[in-house]
Structure formats: C-alpha cells, structure tokens
Amino acid sequence: MLDEALLDGRTTVSDRAIDRLKMAHDASHYLLVPELVLTPTSAEEVAGAFRAARAARRPVTFRSGGTSLSGQAISDSVLVDTRRHFRRIEADDRGAQVTAEPGATVRQVNTRLARHGRKLGPDPASEIACTVGGVVNNNSSGMACGTHHNTYRTLVSMRLVLPSGTVLDTGAPDADAVLREKEPALHDGLLALRERLLASEESVAEIRRQFAMKNTMGYGINALIDFDRPADILAHLVVGSEGTLAFVAEATFETVEVLPQAATGLLVFADLAAATAALPALVEAGLATVELLDAASLRVAQTGTTVPAEIAAVDVDRHAALLVEVQAASSDELAASTSRCGDLFASLPLTAPAELTTDPDRRAALWHVRKGLYAAVAGARPSGTTALLEDVVVPVDRLGETCARLAELFAAHEYADSVIFGHAKDGNIHFLLSERFDDPACVERYVRFTADLVDLILGQGGSLKAEHGTGRIMAPFVQRQYGDELYAVMAEIKRLVDPDGLLNPGVVLSDDPDSYLRHLKSVPTVEPEVDRCVECGYCEPVCPSKDLTTTPRQRIVLRRELAAAEASGDPRQVQLAAELRRDYDYDGVQTCAVDGMCATACPVDINTGDLVRRLRAEQAGPGLQAAWSLAADHWAATARAGGAALTTADKLPTAAVTAATHTARRALGTDVVPRYDSALPPGGRARPRTTPRRPGSARETSVRPPPDDAVLFAACLGTLFAPERTGTDPGADRGIGATAALMRLARRAGVELTIPDGLDDLCCGTPWKSKGYIAGYRTMSERVLPILHAASDGGRLPVVADAASCTEGLRTMQDVISTVSTAGAAGNASTVAEAPGLTIVDAVVFARDLLPRLTVTARLGSIALHPTCSTTALGAGDALRDVAAAVAEEVYVPENWGCCAYAGDRGMLHPELTASATAAEAAEIGSRPFDAYASANRTCELGMTTATGRPYRHILELLEEATRA
C-alpha cells in the first residue's frame, strides 16, 4: 500500500492481522482497524511516513498510550505507533523544565522529576499509562491543575513534524524565521487569523468565555489571541489538536512544585444543591482538590470490600459529598490551613461533622473510593456492553442544576447504575454509562440521550468536552458550541496546516452530523477472567512483553476479535480466526510472563495471566501433562536432576551444550525446551533437612517455641541454580545463597527456624500453575499445605519463604486449593480444610524485622536494587528497600525498573522476552557503577545478571555479609 522506498529503512511496517487488530482498540467506544501499522524511531522517520502516505493518498493517525476516550487515536488507514520508541526524558539541573518525547508516560516523567521535588502540571487520573503525546494533543488537565497548570499553560516549546515534512523546533531562537521560510502560507495565514479575531470584540469575548473553563472542544483558538509570534501560536494550536495538525516529536514544559504535606476529608451534604452551593467558599479557601460524588456514587462506594467510615456512616438518600484535600510545603503550613478549613467546615450545612486527616491509611482509603468509582461501575456492567466515561464542564455556579438535570436524563433514557463524579471546583464532571452498540434500539437511545445532553450543557453555557478531547464523539457539535465564525476560523487552521487532510480525518472537526455514530465498538463476551475489561490500557506500561509482542489489553481484545470472527460464519472471518489463533500462540500465550503486574494497574482487577494459564492448560498435551505430574510425584529427584544437569553442562564446552539445546528446541518446541547459554550457573545445593539448633539449646516437641520463631520454606530454586558470583571476575567465588544467608541471620538474631519434614519434595507450585499443568499443581498443593500446617503448629508459626516468587506461590496455593487430602493418624485418607491459618511471609520482610537484633559491621557505598514482580504483588517493596538501606549508604532503584520476565524458566524458553523487558533498566544500570547489585529471587537475579553483565545477588546474602562479626 505504501511505497517503502519513501520510508526510512528503520521504520517497521506491519500488515499482519494480529498487529492491526490489537492496535484497533483503545479506551474509547469506537473501533477502526488500520490497514498498516508503522513504528518509526525518529522525527525524520515520521516525516518519511508522511511522504509515503501522501503519495498513496492514505491518511495518518498517531497512537501512543491508547488511553483516549473519544476515538481520536484509531484509524482504518495508516496507524503510527509513537509509544514504542519515543520515550526520552531530560530534565534540567533543578527540574524546573523537562523535555519529553511522546511515548513517555506522565508517571515516568514525574518519576524523573521527583528527585527535584517537581512534577508536570497536568495530573490526569490515567497518569500510569497516558503519554506525553496524548497529554499535549488532548490538552490534559486533571484533579488539581485546573486551567492554570494544564498542558496549554505549562508548555514551553515543542519539536514538530508538519504534514509537509517540515521539522520545526518552536523553542529555537530562529523558529519564526524558519517557519516563515519553509511554510510561508502557514506563517502568514496564522497572522491573518489573529488579526481577524482581534478585529472582532465579540469573537475575543466569546473565546475568553469559552477558555475560562476547562475546554478541549475544537481547536484551542485562544492561542491566536494569547500569542503574537506565529511559531508560538502554532505550538499552542497543536495543544489539544488530537493529532490533526502535526506530530509532536518532543515537548518542553515548565514544571510545578510537589507539595509534600497533605490532609484529606469528606464533606457530606443533604443533596447536590447544598454541596455545590458550598463550592465558592471552598475554592476561595485554596483547597487543592474538591471532588464531587453524587448519591449514586456513594451507594456504589458502600458496596466495596473496604468502606471508609465516613462513607459507611451515610444513610444515602439524596446525599452528595465533596472529597477535599489541602496541600502544603511544610507541616506548619498544613496545620494552619487545616485549622482555617475546620472553621469553614463548621459553617457549612453538613449532615455529619468533618475533619481533615493526615493519616496515610485513611487518606488512601478515601482516594481509593474516588479513583475506584470507574472500576466499580464499569467492572460490574453487563457482559457485552461498552462502558462510556464522558466529561463535560459548566460554570461552577451552574453545576448543581446541571448535575440534577443530568441525573434526570439518566432516568429518562433508562441508563441505570450511572454515576456522576468529578472535579467540582472546576465545574468539570464525569459520568459513566453502559451501552450495547450491537443493538439498533440501544443506538437510537444513545442518539436521543446525546441530543438531550448537548442541549443541557450548551444551555448552561458550558463545553461538551473539558478534558477528554473532542475526538469523534463531539466533532459534529463543535460548530454549534462555537458558532459559525469561530468554527470557520478552526476550519481555516486545519486548511493552513494540513491542506491535503493527511492527519486524522474525522477528528476534532466534522461536517457529517452523524459521524459520532459511525464505527461504534461492540464487545463480544469472552473468557470470564477478562470479560470485564474496559480496554483502558492502564496495564500496558507494566507489561514485560509490551515491546516484543502484545500487552494485557491486546491479549484481551484479540480474544474478542477471535470470538467475533468465529461467531460470524463468514468464510473470510473463519480464515481470519485461523490466522489469529496461529499467531496468538506466540504473541499472546508463549511470551506472557504471567507475572501478575497487569493486575497491579488494572482498575477492574484483571490478571491477564489467569487467562493465559487457562489457555496453556487447554493447549497442554497429555504427554506434557503426564510428565509434569510425574515430576510432582518425585519432585526431590527431579530438582536434583535439574541441578545436576546444569552442573554437568557447566563443565562442558558452552557451544556444544547450546547446540544440543538448539536442536532439541527445534524438534520439541521453543516453549518446551529451555535454551542453555553461558550465563546459566551450575546446579545449586541440597535444601536443609534438619532444624538448626540455637547454641546450647535442645529442641523438644513439647516445648512451645518463642513467638518470633518460624518455619523455613527453602525454595527449590537453590537446588536448581547455584548462587551468583560475588564479583564480575569470572573466577570470583559464588555466594552462599539466600537459604544459607537467612539461616545465618536467624541464628545471629536468636531466632529458630524449623525445617518441615520432607522439604525436598515440596514446591510452591508456581511451575505447574504458570504452565497450566493442573493435575501436577493439585498433587503438589495436596502435599505442601498439610505439611506446612503441621510444621507451623496449626498455623501458629509463620512460614518464611526465601524466594519472593515462592512466597507469592504459597499464598496463591492457599487461595486456589479448597481442600487437601492427607493421611490420618491411622493411615486412612481423610479430607481436611485447607490450612486457613497459614501465615506466609517473605524472607525479606522477615529479615527486616530481624534488623534491630543485627549489627551492621561492613556497610557498602551503593546498591542497585531490582524489586521483583512478586515483591510488588506481596507489598514487600518497602521491606526490600529497608533491608537494602541497612546494607548500603545509597539504594538505587532504577526509574526504568520493571518485571524482568525471567518468570521461572520463561527467560530460558524465550530469552528474547527477558532481553526486551530489561532493555531500558539494563541501559540505566550500565550508566554508572555500583558496589553491589541485588534482588529478592534467584531467577530474577539470573535475568538481571544476563541483561546487565553485573552480578545480581539476593539481598539477604548482602545483609548476611554486612552483619558478620
């Protein structure tokens, strides 16, 4: 379709169905399937894409984070992926300004700025996944920034690629001269439009009125009266232009100070009118955030698993609440602000007394309610429906009436369970509804609702879009909101910048009154593990396979595409389904690390690994199932054999062993046989078999152990893999390993660790569960849980696992297995309840509790620390940092940290997965030396050692060395 001679050779071009379909879905309720997906690596390559697309008469759309809600990042032509390669972030020495490329997420930028106590002004709720490209092109704001610190106000300059191919740095001293020379019609045309507007007091007044509110409808024509230099006008017109005017190759922003002190509270009123009437006083008091929750929102919040006392106490009728927060630079400033607010709250007609709390748990609980509303409602929507999260804005003094009438519209159009919430101090509210777009009657209902909504918001003097961008959903209504003259100015802007209509047609401006009804997304029902997915994309930045194959969202939407194709009965769709199944095996199943990181970011609590494990179980042949069941029956021998094989391989020429595994992988499959390379260590040590004694003590079963004693679950990883070397020299000694380190630390702290009977035959079950070998997993579970139950004295003692993945595996085993079979005292089989009282503790958490009893005698200067996906899932990240801080003066956690994707043996089966997952972190680690490199899981240590060439060791080994006498 495109002449690839016009493209830069480094630009990746794909027309595979799986690539086109996985990129067809974003967070909006629209769906377009691109003909091609292009992945350039530089601004110059984007200019080449423009040349090729223009020659082929194919429009171009940019796609980055895919979190847009209005349909502005999808295309049925050429889709350009700007997330994968455009992630550079550079801050000045004080963090006062930051330059970022469009693929960097807001969270990544703020992480870079955190060391300076600064952050970006825009604070969208999707900051974990939304990118700088989207922030600029949607003029993002958020809960706290209002219109003062949004993208438009904090932008300094940007580097643009115009549709003509011209590359313009608007921050350069000669930017205007370059624009005049290379794009004279555009330069002069912008000046003419500015003069046209300034000549009309009516136009100027209307622009000032429209943009005094949060407003992302149409183009930001306030730039024409706010700036007088065409290069600056153009830069600020691109803000909020949704990819219809230019490609933003990088943007530079003024940053804002992070106020570290905060206090949060909930103000409950009898109704919306009372709540909104209080807004002027609350805004004047300088509250950082004022978030509205209507009665429906409060009812939803009360159904949560954990409900803050302030919300649980409300007998909801017509109530409304305002979630408020005060922020300050110091504790003294916060105390003064809190005191002033207390006096103000006492004067408000609240239904219950209110207070501002600084308690982190109470604050987190309140914010969890606000941020979880979308999840609570969207996740519970009927299967097959699409969730629509919309936003509007009205003058603050009209917010109460608007909310009341909006609720009436929900009732009139039978949108049950819809909620209203949002940024009350800005007059900006969000609402959520669910619709079934595969039903013509439902589409007609949506048409009627939209007409009434437009009448309501414009009748209140508001804007139909405040934060989420015009997109496709509101493009037909731009002219009605602004009037003919200002709409004509917007149309002229598009003509001047993009005369050929190359960029993102149908977005922002549309002459088709029904265009918002075209390409609506239907959502087929799929596997229950993932069916509630709203396709928001929050999971994507944390996914280790995001730059290699697919992300969790993409794995799910491809299941939906597959379901739709198979249900259609169309022969072409049947052929498509076969192609998708073929490619999905590698892209969707084999290269999923099933690390659960997606669940940590998902607003509706989906762990896509659960789906992948199901698919692996369905695909596993009887031979492999039997082999892994046999391994479960004889795990001690299996683990010893695995370690012995690695020891033997370590003594042979690496090339010969690698060649042998290569041959086996070709014959049996790359998802079955691991690849051997020189980075793998020899086999490890046997697991401990006897309980260590305290010096001078004689253990008797009748003696109750001290309360701080524990059961040691030494991971079989120590048997399979020898510990890492203590230095980069190939001849350096190997460490003692996590198990021995923990045992020594416990002995020094005066803590006794009990070794369970038959430990050699025990495993946390993760190898079977992650691969979908269900029978073997049950066999292992039915052996492990009763033994641990007995060893822990019926659950009285904690069970300490010395590998984070095993800690997580044991906890999961408790959750998964409902009953276990064990032998009774007389040798008869009996069924007992699954050890409900087991307390599984990670060794890092256990070691942190030992720190007061240990004396550090040899502290390191610096440690590079790699948290694991399991320490994250376990909530053990702080403990890991605390232990590291006891060992070293500096603890460095890379900004680009992520799951290494070694995932047991996944990094040996698919080393390209670990290479991709660790690339950014490895580059960061390689930028400077450290005294030591640490993690909390042996396979993660292997993955990071391979990626960086630095010896990653278990943090407990370093703690043990630091506390030697």
Side-chain angles (χ1 to χ4, degrees), residues 23 25-29 62-74 83 102 104-106 124-135 138 140 374 389 467-469 521 534-541 553 601 603:
M23 296 292 284
H25 293 250
D26 68 356
S28 76
H29 55 283
F62 304 112
R63 160 73 174 261
S64 188
T67 59
S68 297
L69 292 159
S70 301
Q72 57 264 62
I74 56 175
R83 176 183 66 87
T105 67
V106 170
S126 57
E127 52 88 28
I128 187 175
C130 70
T131 63
V132 167
V135 164
N138 292 315
S140 294
Y374 174 64
L389 179 64
E467 298 183 309
H468 297 170
K521 181 195 297 180
V534 293
E535 302 182 12
C536 65
Y538 288 14
C539 56
E540 294 193 332
R553 169 170 60 179

Side-chain angles (χ1 to χ4, degrees), residues 312-521:
V314 182
D315 184 11
V316 181
D317 181 17
R318 299 171 58 209
H319 293 75
L322 297 174
L323 178 60
V324 298
E325 184 162 283
V326 177
Q327 299 174 356
S330 68
S331 55
D332 289 343
E333 288 181 21
L334 182 66
S337 296
T338 301
S339 177
R340 288 193 299 271
C341 287
D343 295 337
L344 171 59
F345 297 166
S347 70
L348 299 176
L350 303 178
T351 62
E355 65 168 337
L356 292 170
T357 179
T358 58
D359 179 81
D361 292 333
R362 291 179 60 191
R363 290 185 59 238
L366 288 168
W367 280 114
H368 179 75
V369 167
R370 164 61 182 86
K371 294 179 179 180
L373 277 175
Y374 174 64
V377 179
R381 76 191 189 283
S383 179
T385 62
T386 300
L388 285 76
L389 179 64
E390 281 306 328
D391 79 313
V392 294
V393 62
V394 296
V396 174
D397 61 355
R398 301 183 187 179
L399 183 61
E401 180 184 354
T402 302
C403 290
R405 291 179 59 186
L406 183 56
E408 292 172 1
L409 289 184
F410 291 152
H413 295 284
E414 298 181 343
Y415 283 120
D417 302 321
S418 295
V419 297
I420 300 172
F421 57 97
H423 318 313
K425 73 184 179 71
D426 301 313
N428 172 203
I429 53 173
H430 302 306
F431 60 88
L432 181 72
L433 53 86
S434 298
E435 188 55 279
R436 188 177 292 276
F437 287 125
D438 55 359
D439 184 338
C442 291
V443 174
E444 284 301 316
R445 173 175 66 169
Y446 175 64
V447 170
R448 295 190 299 271
F449 171 81
T450 301
D452 288 346
L453 175 69
V454 171
D455 289 345
L456 170 61
I457 301 304
L458 296 185
Q460 295 290 338
S463 173
L464 295 169
K465 279 293 171 184
E467 298 183 309
H468 297 170
T470 310
R472 299 174 184 278
I473 187 173
M474 287 298 168
F477 306 100
V478 173
Q479 185 168 5
R480 181 173 170 187
Q481 177 167 320
Y482 285 96
D484 293 345
E485 167 61 11
L486 297 184
Y487 184 79
V489 169
M490 292 182 185
E492 180 64 8
I493 290 168
K494 175 67 172 175
R495 188 194 66 78
L496 284 169
V497 182
D498 184 20
D500 298 325
L502 179 71
L503 300 184
N504 218 8
V507 170
V508 179
L509 304 180
S510 175
D511 294 329
D512 179 357
D514 295 328
S515 61
Y516 75 104
L517 299 174
R518 307 193 195 288
H519 314 297
L520 295 171
K521 181 195 297 180

Side-chain angles (χ1 to χ4, degrees), residues 53-299:
R54 181 179 292 104
R57 298 183 180 274
R58 290 293 195 277
V60 173
T61 296
F62 304 112
R63 160 73 174 261
S64 188
T67 59
S68 297
L69 292 159
S70 301
Q72 57 264 62
I74 56 175
S75 170
D76 58 359
S77 182
V78 177
L79 190 67
V80 178
D81 178 3
T82 65
R83 176 183 66 87
R84 183 161 298 187
H85 295 296
F86 293 88
R87 297 178 187 163
R88 182 177 59 87
I89 303 169
E90 292 182 1
D92 65 20
D93 291 341
R94 297 178 299 108
Q97 288 191 357
V98 65
T99 298
E101 291 184 336
T105 67
V106 170
R107 177 170 291 186
Q108 289 170 331
V109 177
N110 285 341
T111 298
R112 179 67 55 86
L113 293 169
R115 68 185 72 168
H116 304 290
R118 310 287 295 182
K119 65 177 183 177
L120 287 175
D123 59 335
S126 57
E127 52 88 28
I128 187 175
C130 70
T131 63
V132 167
V135 164
V136 170
N137 277 283
N138 292 315
N139 189 20
S140 294
S141 49
M143 285 186 279
C145 76
T147 57
H148 302 292
H149 292 140
N150 64 9
T151 308
Y152 182 90
R153 296 297 178 193
T154 58
L155 179 76
V156 176
S157 64
M158 58 177 71
R159 186 167 182 246
L160 299 172
V161 182
L162 300 179
S164 62
T166 296
V167 179
L168 178 70
D169 181 355
T170 68
D174 63 345
D176 212 53
V178 171
L179 182 62
R180 184 188 303 111
E181 175 189 348
K182 295 188 175 181
E183 304 281 346
L186 173 57
H187 181 279
D188 295 345
L190 291 176
L191 288 176
L193 286 177
R194 172 177 164 79
E195 293 172 3
R196 173 176 168 179
L197 291 177
L198 292 176
S200 169
E201 293 183 3
E202 181 181 354
S203 292
V204 172
E206 180 61 10
I207 290 171
R208 296 292 187 209
R209 184 191 74 80
Q210 291 268 1
F211 290 95
M213 306 176 285
K214 285 184 175 182
N215 184 358
T216 58
M217 273 290 278
Y219 290 124
I221 52 176
N222 49 332
L224 289 163
I225 59 177
D226 288 344
F227 301 92
D228 55 15
R229 194 177 73 133
D232 293 327
I233 293 172
L234 177 60
H236 288 80
L237 282 172
V238 168
V239 174
S241 66
E242 303 175 35
T244 64
L245 298 181
F247 170 64
V248 180
E250 66 178 38
T252 300
F253 305 90
E254 296 282 357
T255 63
V256 300
E257 181 185 5
V258 174
L259 298 177
Q261 303 294 321
T264 309
L266 190 76
L267 312 181
V268 182
F269 298 84
D271 53 32
L272 273 168
T276 54
L279 287 173
L282 295 172
V283 172
E284 185 178 352
L287 291 166
T289 58
V290 183
E291 293 292 298
L292 173 69
L293 294 86
D294 72 347
S297 298
L298 292 172
R299 291 190 189 97

